[in-house]
Structure formats: C-alpha cells, structure tokens
Amino acid sequence: MEKDDFYTNDGNGIGIPQPWNSIFGMELEAQVNEMNSQQIPNCFFNRNWENSMDQSDPFESALSSIVSSPVNSHPGIAIQGCGGPRENVVLKELIGRLGSICNSGEISPQSCINGNNFNLNCNNNNSTNASCYNTPLNSPPKLNLSIMDQNHNQIHGNYHRSDPEFPHMMESRIAIPSSDKKLSRLSMSLNQENKELDNSMEESSVSEQITGMETGIKSQNVRKRKDVPKGKRKETQFSNLSTKDNKVKADKEESITKRSKSEENAKLVEPPKDYIHVRARRGQATDSHSLAERVRREKISERMKFLQDLVPGCNKVTGKAVMLDEIINYVQSLQRQVEFLSMKLATVNPRTDVNMEALLSKDASMMNAMNHLDASAHPFYGMVHNGPDNMLMSMMHRGSNMKSSQIDGFSEVSAFWENDLQSVVQMGFGQNQGPSFHATMGTGQMKVEL
Amino acid sequence: MHSASSIKQKFLKKWIMGLQLCNSSKKNMTIMERRKAIKLSADLALASVRNYTTRWSRALVASASQNDDNQALLQHIIGSDAAKHKKASINVVANSTTSVAKKIASKKILKRSWGIRRVRKLSNGALKDPPYSIAKRLVKKRTQLLKNLVPGGESMDAISLIEETLDYMVWLRAQVDVMRSLARASERLDGK
C-alpha cells in the first residue's frame, strides 16, 4: 500500500517526521538528476552545426544557413576563418539577419549586455572570430579566448563555458526545467561573468541558464547591438547584484535544495546567500510580485502532485479544482469512517471497558504480549464460537486452556485477550507481510483485512 | 512495514489507555457518550503519537482542551508526554482561538489592501477570461472547505494547508485502520 512508502522512509519507528519531505527530497533529486542529464546532452547536441538543424528551432537553422552562406565550406570553421577587418562586417550582417528572424518580441535587458559584450569582444578579438557569438556570455575577452581554445567548435563554446566549469554548473542546483527564459540568460551571462569575477552568489542560477543557453544565445545575439546604452546601465546594475535584484531573482528560481531547506520564509527575509533564485520565464512579467506569485503557484502545484499520489484514483485528474474536490471527498470519507467505527465500537462491545482496564493494568505485559503472539493466538482463534456474549466469560474459558505465565486468573485472561488483540491488530497490520500472517492463522477462522 | 505497525501499535496503546480512563470514570454511559469518548481518545492518541509537530495535531489537542470535560482524558493521554506536553501546551495556547482570530483578521486586512491594488491594476489591464475566474472561485471555495475539514486549517495559507492535508490524510488512514481492526477483533471476541 502506498502508505507504506511513506512509513518506510522513517528510519526509526517513533513517528513519521516528515514522510513526504523525504519524498520531496527524492523527487527533487530525481528532478535534479534529470535536469543534469537533460542539459548536458542538450548542450552537446548543439556542438555541431549539422546537428543543429535537427532542432526545431527555426533560429538555429536560419543561423546555420546564414553562416554557411557568406563564408566558405565548413560551417563550424567558417566563422573562425573570417579575416580581420572583414569580420565585423560579416558578423554584423549575420546579426542583422538574425534579428530579422528572431521574432521574440521582448526587449530584454540581456540584449543590452550582450550588445555591450559583443562590442567589447569584437574589438578585442582578432583571431577568435567566433568569440563574437560567445560574447554575451563571456564578458572578459581573455576568458573568451581561453574558452575558445578549449572548444573546437567556437560558436558553441558558450554552451560549455569552460569544460571544467560546465560539469560543475551541472552539479549545482537547478530548479526550473528548461524553457526559454530570457531573463535567465541575462542573469546567466552576468552570473557567469560574476563567476569569473569570483562572485559565487549566482551559482545556482548559472546552472539553470545552461538549459536556456542554446536558444538564448541566438536571440541574445540579435538584440545585442541594438540596445547598447541600456545594456551598460543594466549591466552595471546586474553586475553589482544589488539587493533589489537579488530579491527579485531570489524568489523565483528554486534551486531545489535551497527550497527544501528554506521554504516559506525564504523569499525576502534571508541573507543573500540563502536566497531562492528564480528565473522569470520567457514572456512573463518580471516584477517581484508576479514572480513571487509564480513561486507560490509552483509550490502549490508540486504539493498537489504528492497529494495525487496519495489520494486513490487521482492519477488522471489534472487541475487544482478537481484535485481539491477529490481530496476533500477523501478526507471527508476518512473522517466519516472514524466516526462510524467509533460508533460501532461503542455499540458492539459493552464489556470492552472492563477488559481494557484489566488489559492495561500492566503495561509491561502488553509489551510482552506482543512477543507471545503465536502461542496464544492459536488457541484463541480456535475458541471463537457462539459462546456467551460476555467476552470476559469467553476469555475465562479460553484462559483455562492456555498455558500462561505467572499471572492470576483474571489478569491472565486479560493478558491473553490483550495478546489476542495485539495479534489481531498485528495481523491486520501485517497483512502486507503475507507469509507471516498466514503462518499465524492457525485455525483460519479469523479474517482480518486491511 | 515495521515502522507502520509500530506506529499503529503506539496509537492503539494510547487509545486504549484513553478508553480505559473514560470507562473507569463513568460506568454507565449512553451510546452517544461512548462514541464521543471513543472518538476523542482516538483523536488525542493520534495527535500524541504524531508528537505534536504538525499543525493539525496541535489543533486537535487545542480544540479538545477547550472543553473542560475532557481535561482528565487529556491529562491522561497527553500528560505522559511531559516535555512534549509543555511544548504542545505552548503551541496550544499559541494556536488558541484568539491568536487564530488575529491571524485571520490580519490576513484579511492584507488581502483587502491587495485587492485594492489589484482593482487598480485590473482596471488598466485586460481582465482574465471568465473561465479562469470561475476556476479561481471554485478553487477558493474548495480550499475553504478543506480548511474546515483539516483541524487547525483555518489560519494556514494554501501551501502549508496542502502539506498539512497530506500529513493528516496519512495519519487519518492509519487511525482508520487501527479502529477497524479493533472493531473486527471485538466483533470476533463477542462471537458474532
């Protein structure tokens, strides 16, 4: 039964500290692993221009066609082959074409920064022509060079940043699955440069960027040259990582591990290191309120997923309202069952009281009783018959047939009753364990279901 | 599983303790009284086994403690967890009606201020589609229902409400299982 899943998470049997939290952890880890495995192939996938055509991104295909047209043979090397003075012209032309292709309407600040970087790098680079494409992500040109050298495919060198760095970023926390995130790319670029500059605050967001990198870079390149002055302003703003930006970004992207630690309180109150970093999605508002609301909504939907697993028959249901309806029905039914059972217990057993009193007169014996289940259980079940209504009487009858420890008559009987009860309960609980249950069913008269 | 059954055993033990107390105090009870006593001790046992770490368990205890008749039972079941009891009592006090009312009132004020801002925003921007607003209303209604169902749920926001519901459901299921087994056992014992 699924509840066992929850119970087994608990190492000690004392309570269920946070069963679904551990499941959270598992889920989150699974997600993280998934993310990690997803992103790396994505990035490597774009390594070759030829492969880029396979992507459905029109941008990519257009870019590749553009690249291949003005320059000769090998697309991968084509850009690299551009000579010095002609390079800027060609690249500007390409960028212009890209701009026409790119239909994304937002004027994101990233373009500013990219534009800034682009200019920087174009001026500085001679041999590494493809670094122009890499500029949005690598603001320090020297760093670009180093990265260029590392990657044979210059154009997509961005995606790797630097190979040793890349897996590191993969390992770092990733929260939202890859979808186009303009702001993410922006902050990613900034983060990367900040990272280079030994700022570790945006680490978690960096990894997140990589997913958006492939599609992001192209559109970044488009916008680069257009909003240079804005870019400068924004760049400084972001590069400083003012607290305001931190807060804006902080709410959004959950690094999953962070969220599991710092859940509801984390949004605005925590010190900078513990901020929850969130990325605004593409085409969405970026003010802090809507972002915070998005975070809240995502949290809610996550928890609803857990509830889906818990409530029987909710697998196919989607949507909050219907799910809530099911949950309400389920909780109501459980509560009604409790009421019904308590009523049943109240009516069924008038003599229960006395026995229970005797039962619990010795707590120690109760614990021992659990160990003596087998011995006492069999004869007890053998004696279930239409005897006297009085449970006590029947227990007396049974008690005489049973071997017992040194307890006097009444308490002996009650101890055995307690044994039986415990065994019954245990059997009921042990239904899932199968074989042991059947082993103790001596006479098989007792039918206990869960 | 072992932990599950041990939890259930603990619950059973506490519950029987409570029942024992009830029955020793009043020898002749009507059926309704018995039912109430049984249910009450079951709830308290559940809450105590949960160690009062969750909202609903504390709320259960709080609501039970407000009724003076239950004091003895309360003491019996919960008094044994002395240290936890102190914490629980503090939490119980904290979650008592006054503070809950205050929380609710403060939330309402907050929501009202947000609503004013939203009205301004919405007057500018396009209203969302009717289906969306209908869905929102439905969800709101149902969360309100859920808040009434889960003990102590009135003062919780949606996120923690769902968490509490999760927890509560699991434990409620355990309670139902124990009670059902006990009912069956007593049926058999009576020879029905």
Side-chain angles (χ1 to χ4, degrees), chain A residues 2-4 6-8 10 12-20 263-264 287 289 293 296 299-300 303-304 306-307 310-312 320-322 324-325 327-328 330-332 334-335 337-339 341-350 353 356-357 359-361 363 366-367 370 380 384-386 388-389 391 394 398 417 421-422 424-426 428-429 433 445-450, chain B residues 1-10 12-13 15-20 23-24 26-27 31-32 34-36 38-39 42-43 49-51 53-54 84 114 117-118 121 132 135-136 138-143 145-146 149-151 157-160 162-192:
Chain A
E2 56 269 26
K3 63 171 177 264
D4 291 340
F6 290 100
Y7 288 128
T8 49
D10 182 18
N12 49 356
I14 300 224
I16 301 179
Q18 296 289 342
W20 53 265
E263 280 184 305
E264 288 86 19
D287 60 324
H289 297 307
E293 212 180 290
R296 185 181 153 273
K299 276 190 189 170
I300 288 181
R303 283 151 175 82
M304 300 283 281
F306 285 119
L307 280 172
L310 203 52
V311 175
K320 252 198 258 182
V322 189
L324 277 174
D325 205 32
I327 290 165
I328 286 172
Y330 189 58
V331 171
Q332 267 176 349
L334 283 176
Q335 283 179 343
Q337 275 182 26
V338 169
E339 298 245 358
L341 283 170
S342 61
M343 173 70 85
K344 192 173 175 188
L345 279 173
T347 56
V348 155
N349 229 336
D353 323 333
M356 288 189 181
E357 245 184 73
L359 272 181
L360 294 167
S361 58
D363 279 335
M366 182 187 248
M367 305 315 287
M370 296 186 196
F380 166 71
V384 171
H385 53 66
N386 293 330
D389 292 288
M391 201 165 59
S394 58
R398 282 194 304 277
W417 188 86
L421 180 63
Q422 290 301 326
V424 164
V425 166
Q426 274 222 336
F429 301 156
Q433 300 170 8
Q445 291 197 11
M446 174 67 71
K447 231 190 344 177
V448 178
E449 328 176 331
L450 262 188
Chain B
M1 294 297 146
H2 295 293
S3 56
S5 54
S6 69
I7 287 165
K8 288 178 178 173
Q9 281 165 16
K10 281 188 196 152
L12 179 68
K13 176 179 169 184
W15 183 28
I16 293 182
M17 270 166 55
L19 287 177
Q20 166 195 356
N23 298 323
S24 64
K26 294 188 198 178
K27 280 299 172 183
I31 283 189
M32 300 312 290
R34 289 167 58 87
R35 180 183 69 81
K36 267 195 208 150
I38 289 172
K39 179 157 193 295
D43 289 340
V49 174
R50 191 62 185 85
N51 294 333
T53 47
T54 55
K84 294 169 201 160
W114 276 118
R117 288 188 65 169
R118 283 240 177 97
K121 273 191 193 174
Y132 178 74
K136 233 180 171 179
L138 275 180
V139 168
K140 253 194 168 162
K141 239 192 270 177
R142 288 172 187 170
T143 45
L145 267 179
L146 193 59
L149 274 183
V150 175
D157 59 331
I159 296 175
S160 41
I162 296 184
E163 294 175 9
E164 290 287 320
T165 312
L166 264 174
D167 200 67
Y168 183 57
M169 268 195 331
V170 172
W171 286 82
L172 203 58
R173 217 195 289 187
Q175 184 186 13
V176 165
D177 288 338
V178 172
M179 291 177 81
R180 200 184 295 156
S181 322
L182 185 59
R184 270 178 221 264
S186 44
E187 264 186 42
R188 302 290 177 180
L189 288 171
D190 274 351
K192 277 188 182 177

Side-chain angles (χ1 to χ4, degrees), chain A residues 132-398:
Chain A
C132 294
Y133 286 96
N134 296 330
T135 52
L137 301 176
N138 307 325
S139 61
K142 290 186 182 166
L143 187 62
N144 283 338
L145 285 174
S146 64
I147 290 170
M148 293 312 118
D149 295 341
Q150 287 179 10
N151 304 314
H152 64 275
N153 190 348
Q154 302 291 339
I155 293 180
H156 296 284
N158 277 336
Y159 299 135
H160 308 289
R161 258 335 249 116
S162 60
D163 286 334
E165 206 178 319
F166 188 74
H168 171 64
M169 288 194 290
M170 285 296 102
E171 287 163 8
S172 67
R173 295 153 300 212
I174 301 167
I176 296 180
S178 63
S179 53
D180 288 331
K181 298 178 180 95
K182 290 244 158 176
L183 187 58
S184 67
R185 290 190 294 273
L186 164 64
S187 35
M188 170 179 66
S189 62
L190 293 167
N191 292 330
Q192 284 174 347
E193 73 183 272
N194 286 330
K195 210 173 182 180
E196 309 307 322
L197 303 171
D198 198 7
N199 184 346
S200 62
M201 282 173 67
E202 295 300 310
E203 185 182 0
S204 63
S205 52
V206 171
S207 55
E208 214 277 315
Q209 315 303 333
I210 296 190
T211 61
M213 260 168 110
E214 306 95 79
T215 53
I217 286 189
K218 309 291 167 46
S219 48
Q220 280 176 355
N221 291 340
V222 174
R223 301 287 177 198
K224 265 189 299 197
R225 302 194 57 252
K226 294 187 182 170
D227 303 326
V228 172
K230 278 193 219 164
K232 277 198 175 144
R233 173 176 52 84
K234 288 273 184 164
E235 179 181 356
T236 54
Q237 182 184 6
F238 275 98
S239 60
N240 293 335
L241 285 175
S242 58
T243 53
K244 174 178 162 292
D245 286 333
N246 274 339
K247 282 176 190 175
V248 168
K249 280 190 276 200
D251 306 335
K252 317 329 161 191
E253 162 74 314
E254 336 335 316
S255 69
I256 292 169
T257 57
K258 277 185 182 175
R259 174 177 52 167
S260 60
K261 279 184 246 167
S262 56
E263 280 184 305
E264 288 86 19
N265 308 326
K267 290 193 182 169
L268 295 170
V269 186
E270 287 187 354
K273 292 265 172 171
D274 292 341
Y275 276 15
I276 291 178
H277 296 278
V278 182
R279 298 293 149 226
R281 294 217 183 101
R282 177 180 189 147
Q284 288 194 352
T286 57
D287 60 324
S288 59
H289 297 307
S290 50
L291 283 172
E293 212 180 290
R294 225 186 76 222
V295 167
R296 185 181 153 273
R297 264 184 274 138
E298 281 166 4
K299 276 190 189 170
I300 288 181
S301 55
E302 241 210 65
R303 283 151 175 82
M304 300 283 281
K305 278 189 213 149
F306 285 119
L307 280 172
Q308 229 178 8
D309 298 332
L310 203 52
V311 175
C314 262
N315 305 327
K316 299 132 194 169
V317 169
T318 50
K320 252 198 258 182
V322 189
M323 265 301 303
L324 277 174
D325 205 32
E326 291 294 319
I327 290 165
I328 286 172
N329 287 337
Y330 189 58
V331 171
Q332 267 176 349
S333 76
L334 283 176
Q335 283 179 343
R336 271 189 236 125
Q337 275 182 26
V338 169
E339 298 245 358
F340 171 72
L341 283 170
S342 61
M343 173 70 85
K344 192 173 175 188
L345 279 173
T347 56
V348 155
N349 229 336
R351 301 289 312 201
T352 311
D353 323 333
V354 181
N355 295 324
M356 288 189 181
E357 245 184 73
L359 272 181
L360 294 167
S361 58
K362 299 183 183 184
D363 279 335
S365 62
M366 182 187 248
M367 305 315 287
N368 290 331
M370 296 186 196
N371 301 330
H372 299 307
L373 290 175
D374 46 349
S376 49
H378 296 277
F380 166 71
Y381 294 128
M383 298 297 276
V384 171
H385 53 66
N386 293 330
D389 292 288
N390 195 337
M391 201 165 59
L392 188 56
M393 292 302 293
S394 58
M395 282 181 11
M396 286 292 203
H397 286 303
R398 282 194 304 277

